[in-house]
Amino acid sequence: MHEDLNWAIGGEAGDGIDSTGKIFAQALSRAGRHVFTSKDFASRIRGGYTAYKVRTSVDKVRSVVDRLDVLIALTERTVDENLDELHDGSVIIYDGERTEFSDFEAPDDVTGLDVPLKSLAEDAGGAIMRNIVALGAVCEVADFPIENLDESLEKKFGGKGEKIVENNKEAARLGAEYVEEEFDLAFDFDLETTDNDYVLLNGDEAIGMGAIAAGCKFYAGYPITPATDVMTYLKGRIENFGGHVVQAEDELAAINMALGAARAGARSMTATSGPGIDLMTETFGLVATSETPLVITNVMRSGPSTGMPTKQEQGDLNQMLYGGHGEIPRFVLAPTTVAECFWKTIEAFNLAEKYQTPVYLTADLAMAVTEQTFEPEKFDMDAVEIDRGKVVDEDEISKWQNEKDQFKPHAVTADGVSPRAFPGTEGGVHMSTGLEHDELGRRTEDVDVRVEQVDKRQQKVTTAEEEEDFSYREFGNPDSDNLVISWGSNEGTLIEAMDYLDQEDVDVRLLSVPYIFPRPDLTEDIEAAEEVVVVECNATGQFADLVEHDTLTRVKRVNKYNGVQFKADELADDIQEELA
Amino acid sequence: MSSNVRFTDFKSDKQPTWCPGCGDFGTMNGMMKALANTGNSPDDTFVVAGIGCSGKIGTYMRSYALHGVHGRALPVGTGVKLANPDLEVMVAGGDGDGYSIGVGHFIHAVRRNIDITYVVMDNRIYGLTKGQASPTSRSDFETATTPEGSKQPPVNPLALALSAGGSFIAQSFSSHAQRHTEIIEEAINHDGFSLVNTFSPCVTFNDVDTYDYFRDSLVDLGEEEDYDPSDREQAKDKILDSEKEYMGVLYQDDDAQSYEQAHGVEGNMADIDTDGAPDGAMDLVREFY
Ligand SMILES: Cc1ncc(C[n+]2csc(CCOP(=O)(O)OP(=O)(O)O)c2C)c(N)n1
Ligand code: SF4
C-alpha cells in the first residue's frame, strides 16, 4: 500500500481543471486525509496546458514530490508534461474518444484506462460533467469511498439545485461502475478515511481570513496573479463584517485608497505582486512619513518586469527591504506556512497600528495558490488579539495638544510612537504630509526638527525590536553541526527534506525565519554550527546576503529560480551536496 | 456638527506662502466659507491635497487633512470617505496634479461617483515647478518647456467629466468670491462626486489666463434664466463650446446613485472590536471544511 497518493488532472486551460481538482481535494480532506495541492498553470485562460495536483496521505504532507500515481489526462500533452513523474504502476485515465492512448508515450508499465468520459457524462445528463465521471473512476481505482465525493459535489453544486447535484453524483457513479466492470484492477492504492477533522485552504485565503479576523474593514486592490485570490476571498465576505472591497483603477490608486481609509481610522490593506509593488513604492514613502498604519501584501512571483507571472520565486526581498527613495522604517513579515499566513496577517495589523508604519506581508506563489489541510484549531479565532496602539479619544486629547490646543500627530516620544486621533475626534484636528514636518505635521526644513523626526521614526524599529518577539521557528536536531536556514514558504519542503537526509544519516538543524525586518540575530546559531546553508527561491541569495551582513560569516547557498518550487528529495540532495 | 462654526475656524494659523495676488487665496476662502455655511466643522472635515502651489491648501486650512503625493489625492479621498462616510471629504489640487499625473484617477473617481467634492485650482500652468506647460495650457502658450507652444489642444476637464458620467460638473472663478462660495456649497450638498474646476490665476507665470481675461470672458450660467443644469444636452453644448467659457453649475444629475448608496457603504470603519476577532469569524474557518 502506498503511504501517500499523488493524483493529478491535466488538460487545457478552460477544461475546468481547477474546479475538478478542488472537488477531489475537498473530498479527501473531508474524509479525514491530509492534502497538499499544487498547480501547473500558464498565463493564459484558454488553451495551454494546465494541471492540478493533489498529494494526499493520512500523515501530514507538506510539499510536492516527483511522483504521479493516478493521472486524469484530458489531453495528450498532459502525459508528455508529466512523463518524468510517471512510474511503474501509475494509472492514466483518459477518454479514448478524445485522446488515443497509443499516442501517449508513457512508460511500459503504466496502465491506461480508457473511460468514455464524455458519453458517460451525457448519460448522466450532460457532457460538461465528464471531469466528474473521471473523478468517479478515480474513486474506484484508488479504493476511495464514493460517498465522500458525493459530499463534495453537494457542496460545489448545492447552490445550483437538487437536479444538478444528482446528475453529478450519477456521473461519478457511472465512472466508478465503468472501471469496476470493464477492468480487472489489481492496484494497491487504498485511500482509507479517518475521523480527523480538517480544513483545506491556500495562502491567499488564509491572508484574507486573517485580515477579517484582525478587524480589517477596507481593502483596495488591482488584480494581479498570484495575489488576486486575496481580493476574491475578501469580496463577498468582508461586507458581512461591515467592510468593503474596492477594485481600484491601478496599484497607485489602490495603495492611496488604502492609505486614506487607514487615516480615517480603518484597519486597511492592499495586496499585489512585484510589478504592483513597484507602482506602490511611491506612496510607500508617504505611508511611512505620514506614520499611517497600513498592511501591504506582496505575493511574489518570478520577476523582474512581468517575468513569469504564474511561476514561483522569492525574488522581491530586496525590493521590500529597500524599495523607495530616502530611508523608510518598515516591517517585513514572511509567513512560512499557509496557517502562518493567517497569524502573520493579524500580527501585521497589530504591528502597523502599534508602530504606525507600513508593514509588508509577503507570501509567494507556491504558498498562495497551494491548498493544504490543517486542523481547524490552527485558526482559533478565540486566540486572536487586537492591539490598536496609541489611539486617543476626546478625553485624552488635551495631553497631546500644544499650548494653542493644536494636536500633535507626530509628537516626539521616547518609544517613537505618537498618539493617533481618528478624524471626527474633537480637538484632534491635524494634517499630515509626505513632506518633512514638525510635531504638528507641518512642513519644515529646520535642521534640528528634521533630525528629530527621522530619529523618531527610526526609534520605532528599535522599540519594536525590544518589545516584540522577532524569532525563528526551529526544527530538526537542535545540536546538529549542520545548520539550514530558510525564510518564507520553503519550510514545509525542508521538513520533508529532513526525512530524506535522515535516511542518508545526515542530521540538520533547521531555522525557518518568518521575519525579514526586523529579523532575529542568527550570530550565535551560526557560530555554533560547522556548516551553514541558506535555502531560497531566487538566484542571488538575497536572504543569505542579509545573514552574512548580520553575522559577518560566509554561508553556503541553495537557490532555485527556474520558476518551480523546491521538491523535498531534490532539496535534500542539494543540501547534502553543500554540506559535503 | 456644530452650527456655530465660523469660516475662520477652518483657517489654520499658518500664513500662506503663495505669491501675493495668487488665485489660490480666493479659491481657499470660498472653500472655507462653503464648508461653514453647509454646517460642517473642522473636526468632521477631511481635506486631501495634491502637490503643487495648489496642494499647499491643506496646510493653510484647519481640518483633518493629508497632503499626499503628486496626482493621487482623489484615491486618498476615496479611501477616507468609504472608511467614514460621515466625514465631509474635500479634495483639492492643481490642473497638473489632477489632469496630468492624476488624470486616470480623475476619470475613475468621476465614474465611481463617490460623495466627495473635488476642487481643481486651474491656473493653466505649473506653478510650483516654475512655469511649465500644464494639460490645460493653450496650445500656443509659450513656456520654458514649450517655447513654441505645446501644439496640443488643452484638456477639457468638464468634457472628460461629462463623458465619464459625472453627476455634478461646475466651473468657478476664485475672484468672484460670492459666486465661488455658492458653487462650492452646491457641490458639497450634491450627493455624489462633484467637480468644481476653479480658475485660480497664477500671477507669476501665466500672463495670458489672467484675472482680466476671466473677468471679461466668463459667462455666468447662473444668470441665464433658461439654462437647466439637469439637461445633459444643454450641458454638452456649453461644455464643448469652443467660443466661450462658462461659470456656474453646468451639469447636475440628482438621480445618479452615489457609490456609497450603490454599495451599501455606511458606518464608521474605525470602530472595531478590540476584544478579538469579530463575532462570527469562526464561520469563516468552517467554510473550508
Ligand atoms: C512624482 C512627482 N513628479 C513631479 C513632481 C514635481 N512637481 C511638483 S508640483 C508639480 C506641478 C504642479 O502643477 P499644478 O498641479 O498645476 O499645480 P500649481 O503649482 O500650478 O498649483 C510638479 C510636476 C513631484 N512632486 N512628484
Ligand atoms: S507661482 Fe503662481 S500658482 Fe504658485 S503661488 Fe505664485 S501665483 Fe500662485
Side-chain angles (χ1 to χ4, degrees):
Chain A
M1 199 195 324
H2 285 290
E3 267 176 27
D4 56 72
L5 179 102
N6 289 281
W7 169 94
I9 178 167
E12 282 189 13
D15 274 344
I17 303 295
D18 264 18
S19 58
T20 314
K22 181 97 183 241
I23 288 169
F24 193 53
Q26 276 177 339
L28 292 161
S29 160
R30 258 193 245 117
R33 297 183 59 84
H34 272 298
V35 171
F36 187 99
T37 75
S38 59
K39 292 175 190 176
D40 283 350
F41 62 110
S43 189
R44 50 197 284 190
I45 303 305
R46 288 223 155 254
Y49 165 73
T50 169
Y52 190 104
K53 297 187 172 178
V54 174
R55 182 173 168 212
T56 174
S57 170
V58 171
D59 301 326
K60 177 91 184 155
V61 273
R62 295 184 163 86
S63 75
V64 288
V65 288
D66 268 328
R67 202 183 81 235
L68 252 188
D69 304 310
V70 178
L71 173 65
I72 300 176
L74 298 180
T75 56
E76 280 152 36
R77 173 144 182 223
T78 305
V79 181
D80 291 336
E81 292 278 350
N82 294 284
L83 269 188
D84 294 349
E85 297 184 6
L86 293 168
H87 59 89
D88 293 354
S90 296
V91 177
I92 300 178
I93 294 166
Y94 68 103
D95 186 344
E97 285 170 28
R98 176 169 166 175
T99 359
E100 278 184 41
F101 189 66
S102 55
D103 293 343
F104 290 172
E105 285 183 35
D108 289 347
D109 287 333
V110 169
T111 310
L113 303 183
D114 178 357
V115 183
L117 303 176
K118 185 160 168 250
S119 50
L120 289 176
E122 279 164 353
D123 292 349
I128 188 150
M129 293 182 294
R130 76 198 162 108
N131 294 358
I132 307 299
V133 175
L135 288 184
V138 172
C139 289
E140 183 60 29
V141 169
D143 223 348
F144 181 65
I146 200 162
E147 299 73 44
N148 289 293
L149 181 60
D150 286 347
E151 266 186 60
S152 231
L153 294 172
E154 277 163 24
K155 177 164 174 173
K156 171 81 184 173
F157 299 110
K160 298 191 173 169
E162 191 66 13
K163 180 97 175 95
I164 305 275
V165 173
E166 285 313 313
N167 286 354
N168 275 280
K169 285 186 186 171
E170 173 70 1
R173 202 178 50 78
L174 290 180
E177 277 176 10
Y178 188 88
V179 172
E180 190 190 2
E181 282 161 20
E182 297 293 322
F183 306 107
D184 187 14
L185 300 178
F187 305 117
D188 49 2
F189 305 121
D190 175 10
L191 295 190
E192 48 179 308
T193 60
T194 78
D195 290 334
N196 294 333
D197 208 12
Y198 297 132
V199 289
L200 180 75
L201 67 165
N202 69 28
D204 276 347
E205 289 166 335
I207 289 168
M209 189 165 72
I212 296 180
C216 171
K217 297 254 183 97
F218 187 83
Y219 177 95
Y222 188 75
I224 185 168
T225 305
T228 311
D229 281 357
V230 177
M231 177 155 65
T232 321
Y233 175 83
L234 287 172
K235 184 74 216 167
R237 288 186 179 80
I238 204 169
E239 294 86 348
N240 299 334
F241 296 87
H244 187 67
V245 170
V246 186
Q247 180 176 328
E249 56 271 25
D250 55 35
E251 288 84 352
L252 298 152
I255 189 171
N256 278 283
M257 287 178 188
L259 161 72
R263 288 218 71 84
R267 285 199 151 188
S268 172
M269 174 163 96
T270 181
T272 184
S273 190
I277 296 287
D278 287 348
L279 294 184
M280 291 184 181
T281 302
E282 177 195 48
T283 300
F284 184 77
L286 170 64
V287 176
T289 312
S290 62
E291 305 195 79
T292 308
L294 193 66
V295 177
I296 304 160
T297 296
N298 177 11
V299 186
M300 295 178 286
R301 63 188 214 184
S302 290
S305 190
T306 26
M308 299 197 287
T310 60
K311 301 294 173 195
Q312 162 69 353
E313 199 165 283
Q314 297 177 297
D316 303 350
L317 188 150
N318 286 339
Q319 181 191 33
M320 289 180 285
L321 206 48
Y322 306 117
H325 64 279
E327 296 171 308
I328 304 179
R330 67 191 83 197
F331 295 105
V332 185
L333 309 188
T336 56
T337 67
V338 169
E340 280 300 302
C341 285
F342 175 79
W343 292 107
K344 285 284 174 284
T345 305
I346 295 164
E347 192 177 339
F349 279 101
N350 286 337
L351 287 172
E353 289 203 322
K354 270 174 86 174
Y355 298 98
Q356 298 169 24
T357 49
V359 179
Y360 274 128
L361 175 77
T362 186
D364 54 46
L365 183 132
M367 183 156 61
V369 304
T370 302
E371 283 125 350
Q372 297 179 44
T373 36
F374 294 91
E375 289 80 18
E377 299 80 61
K378 287 259 184 209
F379 305 96
D380 179 11
M381 293 290 177
D382 292 335
V384 171
E385 288 175 14
I386 309 284
D387 188 344
R388 304 213 68 183
K390 289 193 200 165
V391 178
V392 293
D393 59 19
E394 272 90 350
D395 304 331
E396 307 154 286
I397 212 100
S398 56
K399 277 196 273 176
W400 298 101
Q401 287 172 332
N402 67 6
E403 59 293 343
K404 286 158 120 186
D405 294 344
Q406 291 165 317
F407 180 70
K408 297 188 284 187
H410 302 287
V412 176
T413 57
D415 61 5
V417 185
S418 308
R420 200 170 157 222
F422 297 153
T425 308
E426 224 172 283
V429 160
H430 67 268
M431 74 162 298
S432 193
T433 169
L435 294 165
E436 191 54 270
H437 47 254
D438 59 14
E439 290 188 301
L440 291 176
R442 291 167 171 194
R443 176 199 186 139
T444 184
E445 286 171 5
D446 181 297
V447 289
D448 296 328
V449 177
R450 158 72 178 176
V451 171
E452 192 176 62
Q453 286 290 325
V454 171
D455 289 348
K456 170 199 138 56
R457 294 194 291 266
Q458 289 301 334
Q459 176 60 39
K460 298 195 266 193
V461 176
T462 316
T463 305
E465 281 175 318
E466 285 161 8
E467 287 191 4
E468 311 291 329
D469 183 17
F470 296 119
S471 192
Y472 46 65
R473 289 151 65 90
E474 179 165 2
F475 304 90
N477 174 8
D479 301 319
S480 175
D481 290 334
N482 301 318
L483 184 64
V484 176
I485 300 170
S486 90
W487 66 279
S489 76
N490 297 318
E491 178 185 299
T493 317
L494 277 161
I495 290 173
E496 290 207 353
M498 288 199 303
D499 292 340
Y500 287 93
L501 288 167
D502 209 33
Q503 288 165 19
E504 306 280 319
D505 283 332
V506 178
D507 72 355
V508 299
R509 176 174 183 227
L510 167 61
L511 306 184
S512 172
V513 185
Y515 299 100
I516 309 299
F517 192 83
R519 56 186 170 270
D521 182 356
L522 302 177
T523 311
E524 282 181 25
D525 306 283
I526 284 179
E527 279 170 1
E530 269 168 30
E531 298 285 353
V532 182
V533 181
V534 177
V535 174
E536 55 195 312
C537 285
N538 56 44
T540 56
Q542 298 178 28
F543 193 69
D545 289 345
L546 291 181
V547 172
E548 289 184 347
H549 166 276
D550 290 351
T551 65
L552 299 179
T553 308
R554 287 268 173 220
V555 297
K556 294 181 169 168
R557 297 157 191 240
V558 168
N559 302 85
K560 187 169 182 183
Y561 47 92
N562 65 354
V564 183
Q565 66 202 93
F566 281 112
K567 290 178 179 160
D569 45 355
E570 156 201 65
L571 191 46
D573 288 346
D574 291 351
I575 290 173
Q576 212 178 343
E577 205 167 294
E578 290 301 326
L579 293 177
Chain B
M1 288 183 211
S2 58
S3 52
N4 49 10
V5 170
R6 290 168 353 154
F7 96 90
T8 45
D9 292 336
F10 284 95
K11 221 178 189 137
S12 86
D13 59 348
K14 198 93 176 162
Q15 278 309 311
T17 55
W18 287 320
C19 307
C22 174
D24 293 350
F25 287 99
T27 305
M28 178 172 77
N29 280 337
M31 287 168 66
M32 296 191 294
K33 283 184 187 148
L35 279 166
N37 292 351
T38 48
N40 291 290
S41 83
D43 286 332
D44 298 308
T45 302
F46 202 113
V47 174
V48 188
I51 296 286
C53 297
S54 44
K56 294 180 177 177
I57 190 162
T59 317
Y60 310 142
M61 285 177 66
R62 191 175 153 265
S63 73
Y64 283 92
L66 183 88
H67 175 239
V69 290
H70 197 30
R72 321 277 169 228
L74 280 170
V76 175
T78 301
V80 172
K81 185 68 188 181
L82 290 176
N84 186 353
D86 297 336
L87 296 173
E88 186 59 48
V89 178
M90 275 212 168
V91 178
D95 38 293
D97 193 71
Y99 307 140
S100 192
I101 188 166
V103 69
H105 306 311
F106 170 59
I107 298 292
H108 291 282
V110 170
R111 56 184 277 266
R112 238 175 235 122
N113 203 28
I114 261 175
D115 185 17
I116 52 189
T117 299
Y118 184 37
V119 180
V120 181
M121 293 129 122
D122 186 356
N123 54 15
R124 299 181 166 172
I125 188 90
Y126 282 11
L128 195 68
T129 47
K130 299 191 175 7
Q132 302 81 20
S134 112
T136 49
S137 295
R138 297 157 192 255
S139 61
D140 58 358
F141 183 49
E142 294 166 16
T143 73
T145 50
T146 55
E148 292 161 4
S150 69
K151 303 183 181 172
Q152 297 163 34
V155 156
N156 178 340
L158 309 183
L160 286 182
L162 190 74
S163 62
S167 65
F168 184 100
I169 301 169
Q171 196 146 255
S172 185
F173 176 31
S174 69
S175 98
H176 283 351
Q178 179 78 22
R179 273 298 275 148
H180 174 59
T181 305
E182 275 169 26
I183 292 169
I184 304 237
E185 276 177 43
E186 287 188 56
I188 291 173
N189 289 332
H190 176 71
D191 205 0
F193 186 85
S194 316
L195 167 69
V196 185
N197 191 66
T198 305
F199 295 119
S200 305
C202 172
V203 292
T204 306
F205 297 110
N206 192 331
D207 54 8
V208 178
D209 302 288
T210 58
Y211 284 98
D212 282 346
Y213 164 74
F214 289 117
R215 208 174 283 129
D216 295 345
S217 65
L218 278 178
V219 179
D220 189 350
L221 289 173
E223 286 164 9
E224 295 200 1
E225 264 167 33
D226 55 349
Y227 189 73
D228 173 10
S230 70
D231 181 343
R232 204 164 185 276
E233 283 306 311
Q234 272 197 352
K236 196 174 80 185
D237 289 344
K238 298 289 181 208
I239 286 173
L240 294 180
D241 188 344
S242 54
E243 304 292 313
K244 283 201 191 96
E245 301 199 81
Y246 298 89
M247 194 171 75
V249 179
L250 284 104
Y251 182 62
Q252 180 164 13
D253 176 2
D254 285 324
D255 299 329
Q257 220 185 10
S258 74
Y259 183 95
E260 297 91 310
Q261 289 163 348
H263 292 84
V265 181
E266 52 185 346
N268 184 351
M269 293 183 192
D271 299 334
I272 66 167
D273 193 350
T274 47
D275 293 339
D279 289 345
M282 210 54 218
D283 290 345
L284 296 170
V285 184
R286 278 185 209 110
E287 261 189 72
F288 290 113
Y289 273 110

Coordinates of all heavy atoms in Angstrom, one line a residue, chain B residues 17-24 53-54 123 125 127-128 200-205, ligand 2:
Chain B
T17 N 2.2 80.9 1.8 CA 3.4 81.4 1.1 C 3.1 81.6 -0.3 O 4.0 81.7 -1.1 CB 4.6 80.4 1.3 OG1 4.1 79.1 0.9 CG2 5.0 80.3 2.8
W18 N 1.8 81.6 -0.7 CA 1.5 81.9 -2.1 C 1.9 83.3 -2.5 O 2.0 84.2 -1.6 CB 0.0 81.8 -2.3 CG -0.5 80.3 -2.3 CD1 0.0 79.2 -2.8 CD2 -1.8 79.9 -1.7 NE1 -0.7 78.1 -2.6 CE2 -1.9 78.5 -1.9 CE3 -2.8 80.6 -1.0 CZ2 -2.9 77.8 -1.4 CZ3 -3.9 79.8 -0.5 CH2 -3.9 78.4 -0.7
C19 N 2.3 83.5 -3.7 CA 2.6 84.8 -4.2 C 1.4 85.8 -3.9 O 0.3 85.4 -4.1 CB 2.9 84.9 -5.7 SG 4.0 83.7 -6.3
P20 N 1.7 87.0 -3.5 CA 0.6 88.0 -3.3 C -0.2 88.0 -4.6 O 0.4 88.1 -5.7 CB 1.4 89.3 -3.1 CG 2.8 88.9 -2.6 CD 3.1 87.6 -3.3
G21 N -1.5 87.9 -4.5 CA -2.3 88.0 -5.7 C -2.7 86.7 -6.3 O -3.5 86.6 -7.2
C22 N -2.1 85.6 -5.8 CA -2.4 84.3 -6.4 C -3.8 84.0 -6.2 O -4.5 84.2 -5.2 CB -1.5 83.3 -5.7 SG -1.9 81.6 -6.2
G23 N -4.4 83.3 -7.3 CA -5.8 83.0 -7.2 C -6.2 82.0 -6.2 O -7.3 81.9 -5.8
D24 N -5.2 81.3 -5.7 CA -5.5 80.2 -4.7 C -6.1 80.8 -3.4 O -6.8 80.1 -2.7 CB -4.2 79.4 -4.4 CG -3.8 78.6 -5.6 OD1 -4.5 78.5 -6.6 OD2 -2.6 78.0 -5.6
C53 N 1.5 74.4 -5.9 CA 1.2 75.5 -5.1 C -0.2 75.3 -4.5 O -0.5 75.5 -3.4 CB 1.1 76.8 -6.0 SG 2.8 77.2 -6.6
S54 N -1.1 74.8 -5.4 CA -2.5 74.5 -5.0 C -2.5 73.5 -3.9 O -3.3 73.6 -3.0 CB -3.2 73.9 -6.2 OG -2.4 73.0 -6.9
N123 N -4.9 77.0 -13.0 CA -4.2 78.2 -13.4 C -3.5 78.0 -14.8 O -2.7 78.9 -15.2 CB -3.2 78.6 -12.4 CG -2.2 77.5 -12.0 OD1 -2.1 76.5 -12.8 ND2 -1.5 77.6 -10.9
I125 N -1.1 76.3 -15.8 CA 0.4 76.4 -15.8 C 0.8 75.6 -14.6 O 0.1 75.3 -13.7 CB 0.9 77.9 -15.6 CG1 2.4 78.0 -15.8 CG2 0.5 78.4 -14.2 CD1 2.8 78.2 -17.2
G127 N 2.8 75.9 -11.4 CA 3.3 77.0 -10.6 C 4.5 76.6 -9.8 O 5.6 77.1 -10.0
L128 N 4.3 75.6 -9.0 CA 5.4 75.2 -8.1 C 6.7 74.9 -8.7 O 7.8 75.2 -8.2 CB 5.0 74.1 -7.1 CG 5.8 73.9 -5.9 CD1 5.6 75.1 -4.9 CD2 5.5 72.6 -5.2
S200 N -8.0 79.8 -11.0 CA -7.2 80.5 -9.9 C -6.0 81.0 -10.5 O -4.9 80.4 -10.5 CB -6.9 79.5 -8.8 OG -8.0 78.8 -8.3
P201 N -6.0 82.3 -11.1 CA -4.9 82.7 -11.9 C -3.5 82.7 -11.1 O -3.4 83.0 -10.0 CB -5.2 84.2 -12.2 CG -6.7 84.2 -12.1 CD -7.1 83.2 -11.1
C202 N -2.5 82.3 -11.9 CA -1.1 82.3 -11.4 C -0.6 83.7 -11.9 O -0.3 83.9 -13.1 CB -0.3 81.2 -12.0 SG 1.4 81.3 -11.7
V203 N -0.3 84.6 -11.0 CA 0.1 85.9 -11.4 C 1.6 85.9 -11.7 O 2.1 86.9 -12.2 CB -0.2 86.9 -10.2 CG1 -1.7 87.1 -10.1 CG2 0.4 86.5 -8.9
T204 N 2.3 84.9 -11.4 CA 3.8 84.9 -11.6 C 4.1 84.3 -13.0 O 5.1 84.8 -13.6 CB 4.4 84.1 -10.5 OG1 4.0 84.7 -9.2 CG2 6.0 84.2 -10.6
F205 N 3.5 83.2 -13.4 CA 3.9 82.5 -14.6 C 3.0 82.5 -15.7 O 3.3 82.0 -16.8 CB 4.3 81.1 -14.2 CG 5.4 80.9 -13.3 CD1 5.2 80.5 -12.0 CD2 6.7 81.3 -13.6 CE1 6.3 80.4 -11.1 CE2 7.8 81.2 -12.8 CZ 7.6 80.7 -11.5
Ligands
SF4_2 S1 3.6 80.6 -8.6 FE1 1.6 81.0 -9.4 S2 0.3 79.4 -8.5 FE2 2.2 79.5 -7.3 S3 1.7 80.8 -5.6 FE3 2.7 82.0 -7.2 S4 0.9 82.8 -8.3 FE4 0.2 81.1 -7.1

